[in-house]
Amino acid sequence: MGTVKAARNPKTQAVLPLRGKVLNVSKNEIDKWSKNQEILDIIQSIGVGYGNIDIEKRRYEKIIIATDADVDGSHIRILLLTLFMNLMPELIEKGHIYIALPPLYTISYKTEMYYALDDKELEEFNRTHPSGEKTICYLKGLGEMSAKSFSDTVLNENRRRLKQITMKDAAYASKMFEDLMGKEVEPRKEFLFANGAKANLDI
């Protein structure tokens, strides 16, 4: 959290830290999630209410979900998209919800810092910069970043990469999460049979 505070512009940017995973609002009754402090903090910080919202009361033009690029980060991202889709869908419909695309690698090359979103981009960088001393660091998560790297890749409007979320994106993410984590076994079996060959197992 200290890194984020150091990286943000306090005049135009605010950060709301989350403590782990929020409730899945598509599965929990209102009397459960309406008492959940994490969800209440999100609703209060955005300012539009929930259900029949007043989108003109939003405090921010862009609401950016920034999570680690691992399985836990994906779960948190999907749960947040499910929350917005069910409680504040107009924010998605009007184009106010984004996800940050932080890099997996930082590359110190000569006197400059570069970033690679994934292995493919790292390979491309190495191919186009075959010579010269370089230092490549794998980022395990947002907490591994320096304030400068976090600013460049999540906060800096000129350098960061964002994906604007549509209702189709949110609905797909919510369905995928439900298929894999829900009580019904058959959708999970179908997914594993269809995608098992693509798994990258670290044994």
Side-chain angles (χ1 to χ4, degrees):
M1 185 60 187
T3 298
V4 179
K5 284 185 176 180
R8 73 186 175 104
N9 180 345
K11 294 182 179 179
T12 59
Q13 296 173 326
V15 177
L16 177 66
L18 296 178
R19 303 169 191 84
K21 297 176 183 178
V22 299
L23 286 177
N24 182 357
V25 299
S26 68
K27 295 177 62 176
N28 288 280
E29 300 294 335
I30 185 171
D31 63 334
K32 292 183 180 179
W33 62 253
S34 63
K35 298 175 184 176
N36 181 269
Q37 193 58 51
E38 293 288 319
I39 292 178
L40 293 177
D41 288 345
I42 293 170
I43 293 171
Q44 183 178 15
S45 66
I46 295 173
V48 299
Y50 63 89
N52 185 23
I53 74 170
D54 185 349
I55 197 169
E56 296 304 319
K57 290 185 177 179
R58 69 186 186 281
R59 295 195 177 111
Y60 312 103
E61 185 65 21
K62 286 186 174 71
I63 299 163
I64 302 170
I65 299 171
T67 63
D68 292 341
D70 58 10
V71 173
D72 283 339
S74 295
H75 285 179
I76 294 169
R77 185 165 59 247
I78 290 171
L79 287 169
L80 288 170
L81 291 177
T82 300
L83 183 152
F84 287 121
M85 184 179 68
N86 283 276
L87 303 187
M88 297 171 260
E90 291 90 344
L91 289 175
I92 300 176
E93 293 168 354
K94 298 296 184 182
H96 296 292
I97 304 297
Y98 296 78
I99 58 172
L101 301 175
L104 280 180
Y105 301 96
T106 60
I107 308 161
S108 178
Y109 180 69
K110 295 183 177 179
T111 60
E112 297 292 330
M113 180 70 75
Y114 299 86
Y115 302 97
L117 185 66
D118 50 27
D119 291 337
K120 182 178 180 181
E121 286 196 1
L122 179 62
E123 290 173 6
E124 177 65 23
F125 183 89
N126 287 330
R127 186 163 53 248
T128 55
H129 301 80
S131 61
E133 184 177 348
K134 68 187 77 163
T135 301
I136 301 171
C137 294
Y138 175 74
L139 298 171
K140 294 180 180 179
L142 298 178
E144 297 279 321
M145 291 185 180
S146 66
K148 182 182 185 308
S149 292
F150 191 92
S151 176
D152 284 347
T153 60
V154 179
L155 301 177
N156 188 321
E157 295 182 5
N158 297 318
R159 298 198 64 176
R160 69 188 181 189
R161 283 192 272 186
L162 304 176
K163 174 178 171 56
Q164 190 177 46
I165 296 299
T166 66
M167 284 296 288
K168 184 178 179 180
D169 294 326
Y172 176 80
S174 182
K175 183 180 184 304
M176 180 64 69
F177 185 83
E178 187 62 30
D179 285 349
L180 296 178
M181 306 297 290
K183 294 181 180 179
E184 295 296 327
V185 176
E186 197 59 33
R188 187 157 51 249
K189 288 172 62 177
E190 291 177 2
F191 177 86
L192 292 174
F193 277 124
N195 297 276
K198 303 175 185 177
N200 182 15
L201 300 178
D202 185 11
I203 300 177

